[in-house]
Amino acid sequence: MHRHDQAIARLADHALDYALERVRMDPVPLDAPRPYDELIRAAGQTITPSGIGGDRALKLFTEVLAPACISVDHPRFLAFVPGAPTEASVLFDMVVSASSIYAGSWLEAAGAVFAENQALRWLADLAGFPESAGGAFVSGGTAGNLSALIAARHRWRSRHAGRFDKVRGVVLASKGAHSSIAQATHAMDVDLVHVPTDHRGRLDGAAVRSVFDSLAPADRERVFAVAATGGTTNVGVVDDLAGIADVCADEGIWFHVDGAYGLAALCAPSVRDRFVGIERADSFIVDPHKWLFGPFDCCALVYRNIHDGRRAHTQNAEYLEVLRGGEGEEGPWHEMNPADVAHHLSRRARGLPLWFSLATHGTDAYTEAMETTLTIARLAAEEIGRRRHLELLLEPDLTVLVFRRIGWGPDDYRRWSDDQLYSGESFVVPSSWNGETVLRFCIVNPRTTFDDIVAILDSLD
Ligand SMILES: *Cc1c(COP(=O)(O)O)cnc(C)c1O
């Protein structure tokens, strides 16, 4: 395992060649999963006492394992939430790996943290957050939501001087909130109270007010956060952030906005006004690995006041004492430790690929790419409206389209979807809306063209 032996030098060439080839591929192969039996036959046992050698392991990856993984950046991958990392961000992800940076603390990674924080500041500015804002990049929206809600509960308990230290808290959220909100309340052992939405699945301030008022006084005191969604995953609807902000301000409740998918569109002028009220949130998250053209895995977690994050999450240990001091109580905290503001400690500098791509291309290019995807989504919605066999179920707020194929049931959708995937045409999976099986497109890839959409719709005739 010596760094300079010849086999490693050759391997470096091969691995980098493959990586560069994959980055430059256009189009990328869609690929598809394979059953375990086939994989064990094709790949066999790969971990052995003496090793199979890098060349063989790399060949196994490129010829057997990678083709058994769907490429999220394929322009006809419209299932779940795809990704479309820029070349700059992918290349820099490799640089980050090669740089052996521990990015938990300013002491060990001042340069990396400085750059990550400029990327976070861009997001904070788009949201209209004050100077005190800051946060960290965590692995994904699930980790970001959990960290924000932990900070919310911490602030609630500390404001009440011990009175609620043994009291179970309550989070309010809509049924359209992402499953990770329910998972966070489960992990934190707090109660989740669902607030009804309007017919489009949008949560508004009046509904939050009415559910809050309907609680018994002792339960009202337990409410420590409202989790709104800036672009629901299933239908892409943006909640009434301003109305919800009013209720939170009146009641002194933490206002969190889960924008893992949708808040990327803060940089898109054509839809920016849908997010009015975000500037009053206490925290928000957005995943650059979704609609901000970065690689997995990356979620930006931003607090209005970074010290709320620090107070809730700082780990104390003898060996970490050297990191303490200089935090201050309020205001900007420049020489900060990302480890101190989320539920994590060791971390890779996973915000750097986004930083490098932003620095390389400039923020205007992001706005332009975002508007491209929004335009394709609008054209796709119109096209669905024109087709005799199809019916659009909601006018899109962003780039998620939900529609039905008239006359089809769950089995028809499933069969069509499998057919598309295994023939390499597209990856679109059914979802459900109001109990009905439906089709769903999520468009985040600027390389998805109107022709791609038409080809998929044609196959539904
Ligand atoms: C995707 C998503 C999440 C979860 O994010 P991960 O990065 O997959 O953990 C949370 N909330 C919303 C609204 C999402 O779309």
Side-chain angles (χ1 to χ4, degrees), residues 92-126:
F92 208 74
D93 203 40
M94 291 158 59
V95 173
V96 172
S97 291
S99 301
S100 294
I101 298 166
Y102 168 88
S105 70
W106 187 267
L107 172 68
E108 284 157 284
V113 175
F114 171 86
E116 283 190 310
N117 285 350
Q118 287 203 340
L120 287 174
R121 188 66 240 177
W122 175 61
L123 294 167
D125 285 340
L126 287 172

Side-chain angles (χ1 to χ4, degrees), residues 81 139-143 145 178 180 229 231 233 258 260-261 285 287 289-290:
V81 181
S139 63
T142 299
N145 284 331
H178 188 265
S180 57
T229 313
T233 319
D258 174 1
Y261 150 68
I285 63 155
D287 281 359
H289 65 219
K290 286 182 171 170

Side-chain angles (χ1 to χ4, degrees), residues 11-23 25 29 31-32 34 39 42-43 46 52-69 71:
L11 189 58
D13 287 342
H14 292 171
L16 286 175
D17 283 351
Y18 170 75
L20 291 178
E21 193 188 313
R22 175 61 180 80
V23 169
M25 265 180 210
D31 296 328
R34 293 174 71 185
L39 284 180
T46 59
I52 62 173
D55 288 337
R56 202 164 142 224
L58 184 64
K59 201 162 137 76
L60 263 179
F61 179 75
T62 60
E63 294 178 4
V64 177
L65 305 178
C69 302
S71 304

Side-chain angles (χ1 to χ4, degrees), residues 144-354:
N145 284 331
L146 175 65
S147 295
L149 291 176
I150 289 173
R153 179 172 64 184
H154 187 91
R155 191 182 76 176
W156 168 67
R157 283 189 171 148
S158 42
R159 280 184 178 172
H160 291 90
R163 200 154 69 83
F164 293 141
D165 283 3
K166 298 259 155 53
V167 173
R168 212 177 143 95
V170 172
V171 172
L172 302 185
S174 83
K175 274 245 166 68
H178 188 265
S179 48
S180 57
I181 297 291
Q183 194 58 24
T185 60
H186 184 65
M188 294 167 69
D189 201 23
V190 305
D191 292 319
L192 173 62
V193 172
H194 278 129
V195 184
T197 60
D198 69 11
H199 67 285
R200 299 180 67 244
R202 183 171 188 255
L203 181 67
D204 64 26
V208 174
R209 165 54 67 197
S210 136
V211 165
F212 183 83
D213 287 349
S214 73
L215 297 173
D219 287 336
R220 267 180 238 163
E221 288 194 323
R222 295 197 294 128
V223 178
F224 68 85
V226 177
T229 313
T232 58
T233 319
N234 197 37
V235 295
V237 163
V238 181
D239 289 342
D240 164 29
L241 303 184
I244 300 167
D246 286 341
V247 181
C248 290
D250 288 349
E251 303 299 338
I253 301 168
W254 183 288
F255 177 32
H256 174 65
V257 181
D258 174 1
Y261 150 68
L263 276 181
L266 283 174
C267 71
S270 71
V271 290
R272 178 59 180 83
D273 61 356
R274 297 195 199 284
F275 300 102
V276 170
I278 182 71
E279 70 285 355
R280 294 161 67 199
D282 290 291
S283 55
F284 71 81
I285 63 155
V286 54
D287 281 359
H289 65 219
K290 286 182 171 170
W291 200 8
L292 276 179
F293 319 117
F296 294 111
D297 46 13
C298 191
C299 166
L301 161 66
V302 184
Y303 300 99
R304 153 178 232 85
N305 181 348
I306 192 169
H307 300 285
D308 284 326
R310 173 179 62 80
R311 285 188 279 259
H313 290 289
T314 301
Q315 296 189 25
N316 290 302
E318 289 88 344
Y319 84 104
L320 298 174
E321 277 165 18
V322 63
L323 303 178
R324 303 286 154 244
E327 284 102 349
E329 269 311 292
E330 298 301 327
W333 176 29
H334 292 303
E335 298 180 10
M336 56 86 74
N337 303 315
D340 290 350
V341 298
H343 186 66
H344 60 189
L345 186 62
S346 293
R347 62 183 291 275
R348 98 191 236 99
R350 61 165 60 79
L352 287 186
L354 172 68

